[in-house]
């Protein structure tokens, strides 16, 4: 499920990137490559392990903070306030599931997801079989590699694989030949496989609205590409072809697997045919996809230090669940505490260090041998051994309490006596604690809930304080990271007083993990209120300004930007370094620049080189293609007239280096415009 959500986020990001940067560009083959590549990468990127130093999750993942808390903090027993320290984390803690009230809701979501996959999968197979049936049962004409399948009735023409479906009786000869030419281009370039890939993605992303938008964008681009190919044919006249489209377009076509004449995109196709061809200088936009994908990998993927690869050189830590009911013990007394390490007889690597109050042992043999014991609700541990001064060792035997087992069974908690009771003893799980949780409305208790809850000493007063502060709908999975991060009622109240009212447990966990408090939120809200309005531009004297409008107004956007700023270390000092240069931009601009490693010194280097008034978008473009001020200055030294930064970006993006230009000039190509050299380079690449 989490994999599917990660894929959904990547698809959404790639679609927005395409829509806002590339959709209006007329590089249709390149757009096709980007759309296909991003779709494939969306499903494969989540599997890529990320080096720890590249991952944002080591700083921003609340789960990491919980693990560190459980590993290093002193954990207090619920009823007796006797501290217990453990080297191991409580097993199977998954705070990321906190968006679900309980496991039954999670199961419903999983079941719903797979039902959707099955339904859309069946629909895909039905369409595929129906197309194949029509293609090989209907009359057809073999035209080389193409099969022109004759339809009857009022059905729009379309193509799939090497089949062209058309009713020849509906169209005049000119329109018919143009349709056939159009569909042949679809077949020659394999557009059906693009549609199939998009449909397969929809089967597993049916819940994601951006996946549907993405599929539509792929289909539209294929039509733009085909239209462009046809209009480059010598004997096709643009006006005649456009009229043919109007004649052929249909309100709908039932087969989404086909490339077809759909009326819904007719207007966009006609507009795109009359759009001015994109300038070569705009090709730098395509390179921005690489930093975008790197950001997704760094944000979503598991750091390699936490992955399986890290366990190849070190043994995997073992939890208290692996401690047997009998074995050996080693103890050290320090002041009023006694640290006891329990080891299994057969596996010395399975052990647990636990701290107890010295006063808990009434008959502890000091400087001698003997037997002593400790009793809790889960059972009794009987120790045999010897102490010499403040150290001791011997053997132990844990005897489970059958009444406690029956109590848990009565409360609906499934228990393995051999494996679970020893863990319950170490975290000092008590009947009163289970009863308290039931009284708070938590009916479906499991051992995976009880162990970390008891280990973290989550009391009734703690739960009540959170609910009183406004977190009325708390799940057990929420309580674990909240307590581990010391989120209490006063912290919740502090966040609410800051004006941020749409709080949830998961948001509080993220805020606390980043050490964000109410004062930080107040400052963020005030900064958005005082953000400058967008400056009106004067077309006659258009120079790109350093000011952009702050477009964030709602609490959730402010919340998201605060987390992103913390994760990326967008500090006040970092922002000030740009405001000192005259920048007044929204947080998104600083976040984008910091994600690419852009510093004020990087901007200043271009300003010192004579390139003034660069805005954040231009700086991001410069960094995305790896252009330095020194390289930009080399272009400037070539004495082009009115050389703009956009032209330099286009040259860098297409591989037109100063060295290339100098070499061309030596061959007699002395152009006054850098665009001429870009055209030469592109043509040379096409010929190759």
């Amino acid at each position: 499920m989490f994999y599917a959500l990660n894929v959904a986020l990547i698809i959404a990001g790639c679609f927005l990137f395409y829509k806002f940067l590339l959709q209006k560009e007329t590089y249709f083959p390149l757009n096709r490559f980007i759309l296909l590549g991003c779709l494939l990468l969306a499903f494969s990127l989540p599997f890529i392990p990320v080096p720890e130093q590249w991952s944002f999750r080591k700083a921003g993942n609340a789960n990491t903070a919980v693990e560190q808390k459980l590993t290093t903090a002193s954990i207090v027993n619920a009823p007796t306030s006797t501290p217990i320290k453990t080297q191991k984390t409580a097993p199977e803690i998954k705070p990321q599931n906190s968006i679900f009230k309980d496991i039954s809701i999670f199961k419903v979501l999983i079941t719903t997801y797979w039902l959707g996959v099955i339904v859309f999968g069946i629909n895909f197979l039905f369409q595929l079989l129906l197309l194949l049936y029509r293609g090989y049962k209907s009359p057809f004409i073999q035209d080389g590699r193409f099969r022109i399948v004759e339809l009857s009735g009022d059905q729009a023409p379309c193509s799939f694989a090497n089949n062209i479906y058309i009713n020849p009786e509906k169209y005049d000869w000119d329109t018919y030949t143009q349709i056939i030419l159009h569909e042949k281009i679809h077949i020659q370039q394999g557009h059906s496989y693009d549609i199939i890939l998009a449909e397969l993605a929809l089967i597993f992303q049916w819940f994601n609205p951006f996946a549907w938008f993405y599929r539509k964008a792929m289909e539209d681009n294929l039509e733009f590409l085909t239209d462009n190919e046809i209009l480059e044919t010598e004997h096709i006249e643009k006006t005649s072809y456009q009229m043919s489209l109007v004649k052929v377009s249909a309100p709908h076509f039932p087969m989404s697997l086909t490339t077809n004449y759909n009326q819904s995109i007719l207007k966009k196709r006609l507009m795109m045919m009359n759009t001015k061809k994109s300038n070569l200088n705009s090709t730098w936009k395509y390179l921005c996809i690489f930093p975008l994908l790197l950001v997704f990998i760094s944000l979503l993927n598991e750091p390699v230090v936490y992955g399986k690869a890290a366990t190849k050189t070190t043994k995997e830590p073992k939890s208290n669940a692996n401690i047997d009911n009998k074995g050996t013990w080693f103890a050290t007394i320090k002041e009023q505490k006694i640290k006891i390490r329990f080891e299994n007889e057969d596996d010395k690597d399975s052990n647990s260090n636990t701290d107890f109050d010295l006063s808990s042992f009434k008959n502890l043999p000091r400087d001698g041998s003997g037997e002593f014991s400790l009793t809790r609700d889960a059972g009794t541990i009987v120790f045999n051994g010897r102490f010499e001064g403040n150290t001791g060792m011997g053997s132990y035997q844990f005897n489970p309490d059958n009444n406690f087992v029956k109590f848990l069974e009565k409360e609906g908690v499934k228990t393995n006596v051999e494996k679970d009771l020893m863990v319950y003893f170490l975290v000092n799980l008590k009947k009163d604690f289970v009863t308290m949780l039931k009284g708070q409305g938590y009916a479906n208790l499991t051992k995976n809930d009880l162990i970390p809850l008891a280990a973290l000493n989550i009391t009734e007063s703690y739960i009540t304080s959170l609910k009183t502060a406004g977190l009325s709908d708390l799940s057990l999975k929420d309580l674990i990271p909240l307590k581990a991060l010391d989120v209490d009622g006063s912290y919740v109240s502090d966040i609410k007083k800051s004006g941020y009212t749409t709080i949830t447990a998961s948001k509080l966990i993220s805020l606390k993990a980043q050490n964000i408090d109410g004062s930080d939120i107040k400052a963020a809200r005030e900064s958005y209120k005082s953000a400058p309005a967008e400056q009106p531009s004067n077309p006659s004297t258009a120079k790109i300004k350093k000011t952009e409008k702050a477009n964030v107004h709602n609490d959730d956007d402010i919340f998201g930007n605060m987390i992103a700023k913390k994760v990326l270390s967008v500090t006040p000092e970092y922002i000030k370094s740009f405001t000192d240069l005259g920048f007044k931009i929204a947080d998104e601009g600083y976040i984008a620049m910091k994600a690419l490693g852009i510093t004020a010194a990087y901007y200043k280097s271009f300003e010192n080189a004579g390139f003034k008034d660069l805005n954040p978008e231009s700086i991001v473009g410069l960094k995305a293609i790896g252009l330095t001020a020194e390289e930009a200055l080399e272009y400037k030294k070539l004495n082009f007239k009115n050389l703009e930064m956009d032209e330099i970006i286009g040259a860098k993006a297409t591989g037109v280096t100063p060295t290339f230009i100098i070499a061309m000039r030596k061959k007699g190509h002395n152009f006054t415009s850098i665009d001429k050299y870009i055209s030469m380079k592109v043509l040379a690449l096409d010929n190759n």
Side-chain angles (χ1 to χ4, degrees):
M1 191 67 182
F2 293 108
Y3 167 75
L5 292 176
N6 283 353
V7 172
L9 287 173
I10 297 173
I11 288 177
C14 291
F15 170 75
L16 293 174
F17 167 80
Y18 172 79
K19 181 174 179 60
F20 292 112
L21 283 183
L22 307 182
Q23 189 177 43
K24 295 182 180 180
E25 301 296 334
T26 59
Y27 299 116
F28 305 121
L30 187 54
N31 285 353
R32 180 192 181 192
F33 173 79
I34 290 292
L35 287 168
L36 280 174
C38 287
L39 190 62
L40 293 172
L41 287 172
F43 284 88
S44 57
L45 285 181
F47 294 110
I48 299 176
V50 182
E52 183 186 11
Q53 62 271 24
W54 291 4
S55 175
F56 297 149
R57 289 183 62 179
K58 63 178 182 294
N61 194 328
N63 187 38
T64 304
V66 172
E67 291 177 355
Q68 293 172 345
K69 188 80 176 178
L70 291 174
T71 303
T72 60
S74 296
I75 300 175
V76 183
N77 291 341
T80 62
S81 299
T82 305
I84 298 180
K85 293 184 180 179
T86 175
Q87 291 179 330
K88 317 298 175 186
T89 62
E92 300 184 27
I93 299 175
K94 298 179 180 178
Q96 62 266 41
N97 291 352
S98 61
I99 59 172
F100 304 110
K101 293 182 181 179
D102 52 53
I103 193 67
S104 62
I105 295 179
F106 182 73
K107 286 183 178 179
V108 169
L109 291 174
I110 290 291
T111 303
T112 303
Y113 170 75
W114 283 112
L115 281 175
V117 170
I118 292 171
V119 169
F120 283 93
I122 292 173
N123 178 63
F124 172 82
L125 291 175
F126 174 77
Q127 291 191 64
L128 182 62
L129 293 174
L130 186 57
L131 280 169
L132 294 175
Y133 176 81
R134 285 183 178 178
Y136 291 93
K137 288 295 183 180
S138 302
F140 69 92
I141 299 172
Q142 191 72 43
D143 182 7
R145 59 173 290 196
F146 310 104
R147 301 175 76 255
I148 303 175
V149 181
E150 296 184 1
L151 301 178
S152 60
D154 189 22
Q155 299 187 56
C158 61
S159 64
F160 178 76
N162 65 330
N163 294 326
I164 300 173
Y165 301 85
I166 187 172
N167 182 356
E169 297 178 358
K170 288 184 59 178
Y171 311 108
D172 58 68
W173 178 250
D174 288 340
T175 303
Y176 177 82
T177 55
Q178 288 182 7
I179 293 172
I180 296 299
L181 178 60
H182 180 98
E183 298 304 333
K184 282 183 177 180
I185 292 175
H186 278 309
I187 294 172
Q188 288 170 340
Q189 298 190 3
H191 293 175
S192 294
Y193 303 111
D194 297 43
I195 301 299
I196 289 175
L197 183 63
E199 287 290 324
L200 290 174
L202 274 181
I203 292 175
F204 296 97
Q205 288 285 303
W206 59 266
F207 63 91
N208 179 12
F210 288 100
W212 294 89
F213 298 150
Y214 200 99
R215 186 227 180 272
K216 186 67 167 58
M218 291 182 67
E219 182 181 12
D220 290 354
N221 184 68
L222 292 177
E223 295 301 329
F224 300 153
L225 190 159
T226 306
D227 292 339
N228 187 63
E229 292 280 343
I230 286 182
L231 293 179
E232 289 181 356
T233 306
E234 292 182 359
H235 63 278
I236 297 295
E237 201 271 326
K238 180 188 289 187
T239 304
S240 173
Y241 178 67
Q242 291 176 343
M243 287 300 299
S244 295
L245 290 181
V246 175
K247 293 178 184 178
V248 179
S249 63
H252 61 83
F253 191 86
M255 296 299 177
S256 61
L257 287 179
T258 61
T259 56
N260 57 78
Y261 291 81
N262 194 316
Q263 198 177 71
S264 65
I265 67 165
L266 176 61
K267 183 178 179 181
K268 288 194 290 184
R269 291 174 64 181
L270 296 176
M271 290 176 61
M272 193 60 75
M273 280 184 239
N274 294 289
T275 299
K276 183 181 178 182
K277 298 298 182 182
S278 296
N279 192 296
L280 287 171
N281 293 334
S282 64
T283 54
W284 66 269
K285 296 179 182 179
Y286 291 87
L287 298 176
C288 293
I289 190 64
F290 297 109
L292 174 68
L293 295 175
L294 286 175
V295 169
F296 274 123
I297 293 174
S298 299
L299 282 174
L300 301 178
N301 288 26
E302 192 76 9
V304 71
V305 69
Y306 298 130
K308 294 181 179 180
T311 64
K312 293 181 180 179
T313 56
T314 60
K315 293 186 177 179
E316 182 180 355
K318 300 185 179 181
S319 69
N320 288 333
N322 292 323
I323 301 300
D324 290 342
N325 289 344
K326 62 179 180 178
T328 56
W329 60 270
F330 301 88
T332 303
I333 298 174
K334 187 175 183 180
E335 296 178 353
Q336 297 303 310
K337 303 292 181 182
I338 177 171
K339 182 190 292 290
I340 300 179
R341 188 172 83 174
F342 299 90
E343 288 188 357
N344 293 346
E345 291 182 341
D346 298 329
D347 186 0
K348 300 301 181 182
D349 290 327
S350 294
N351 59 75
S352 173
N353 288 338
T354 308
D355 282 4
F356 301 90
D357 278 346
L358 191 59
S359 59
S360 301
F361 300 94
K362 303 300 182 183
N363 53 348
L364 190 72
R366 302 295 296 267
D367 296 321
S369 301
E371 179 180 287
F372 58 100
S373 63
L374 179 63
T375 300
R376 290 175 170 175
D377 279 17
T380 300
I381 292 185
V382 178
F383 299 88
N384 283 285
R386 178 180 179 83
F387 272 90
E388 293 182 359
N390 289 329
T391 60
M393 64 178 295
S395 61
Y396 72 90
Q397 173 70 50
F398 173 67
N399 301 311
D401 188 322
N402 291 329
N403 290 328
F404 188 68
V405 176
K406 293 177 181 178
F407 168 79
L408 292 178
E409 290 177 350
K410 181 181 177 181
E411 296 296 333
V413 181
K414 296 180 180 180
T415 303
N416 185 314
V417 177
E418 293 298 323
K419 295 182 178 180
D420 299 335
L421 266 291
M422 181 67 171
V423 182
Y424 291 155
F425 179 92
L426 293 177
V427 299
N428 201 6
L429 180 65
K430 285 208 165 192
K431 296 178 182 178
D432 292 344
F433 183 74
V434 178
T435 303
M436 179 273 291
L437 292 176
K438 288 276 188 174
Q440 288 288 334
Y442 301 110
N444 301 318
L445 297 174
T446 68
K447 68 174 183 179
N448 295 328
D449 297 323
L450 292 173
I451 291 171
L453 291 170
L456 285 166
N457 189 28
I458 294 178
T459 63
E460 185 172 16
S461 61
Y462 176 75
I463 298 174
T464 303
S465 70
L466 292 176
K467 291 182 176 180
T468 303
L471 293 179
S472 57
D473 194 17
L474 277 173
S475 72
L476 293 176
K477 297 296 190 298
D478 293 330
L479 286 171
I480 296 167
L482 287 171
K483 178 64 175 179
L485 291 168
D486 294 327
V487 176
D488 54 18
S490 61
Y491 180 78
V492 179
S493 299
D494 179 54
I495 297 299
K496 291 182 70 175
K497 288 178 182 178
S498 71
Y500 185 61
T501 56
T502 58
I503 56 172
T504 62
S506 60
K507 290 178 181 178
L508 285 168
I509 291 165
S510 298
L511 289 171
K512 187 67 173 180
Q514 298 299 333
N515 293 319
I516 296 173
D517 58 20
S519 62
D520 296 322
I521 297 177
K522 284 182 181 178
R525 292 169 65 88
E526 289 300 321
S527 68
Y528 286 114
K529 288 180 182 179
S530 61
E534 187 175 13
Q535 301 292 328
S537 60
N538 184 348
S540 62
T541 59
K543 279 286 184 180
I544 301 176
K545 297 182 180 296
K546 299 178 185 177
T547 304
E548 66 178 25
K549 185 177 181 180
N551 56 5
V552 178
H553 299 288
N554 63 70
D555 286 341
D556 287 336
D557 286 338
I558 295 173
F559 168 82
N561 281 343
M562 289 184 68
I563 297 299
K565 287 169 68 177
K566 281 283 186 176
V567 170
L568 293 169
S569 298
V570 181
T571 62
E573 292 76 18
Y574 179 80
I575 295 174
K576 186 176 184 300
S577 68
F578 284 96
T579 57
D580 288 345
L581 296 174
F583 281 81
K584 293 179 181 179
I585 62 176
D587 279 347
E588 291 91 332
Y590 293 117
I591 292 168
M593 290 193 296
K594 189 60 187 289
L596 288 172
I598 297 172
T599 63
Y602 180 76
Y603 167 78
K604 193 68 176 177
S605 66
F606 285 95
E607 197 171 62
N608 293 337
F611 299 95
K612 307 290 185 180
D613 298 319
L614 296 176
N615 70 343
E617 184 180 352
S618 297
I619 299 172
V620 169
L622 294 171
K623 190 67 173 180
I625 63 174
L627 185 68
T628 64
E630 291 76 13
E631 288 179 293
L633 200 57
E634 290 298 318
Y635 285 103
K636 201 170 185 180
K637 292 177 181 178
L638 296 174
N639 297 320
F640 288 108
K641 293 182 179 179
N642 302 319
L643 183 63
E644 297 289 341
M645 180 55 74
D646 285 345
E647 295 177 307
I648 296 177
I649 292 173
K652 172 72 173 179
T654 53
V656 178
T657 63
T659 303
F660 174 82
I661 295 172
I662 293 171
M664 292 298 101
R665 285 180 174 177
K666 288 180 179 179
K667 294 180 180 180
H669 303 290
N670 295 307
F671 302 125
T672 57
S673 170
I674 199 171
D675 286 342
K676 297 289 186 179
Y677 293 103
I678 294 174
S679 299
M680 287 184 62
K681 185 72 171 181
V682 172
L683 289 173
L685 291 174
D686 290 342
N687 292 333
N688 291 336

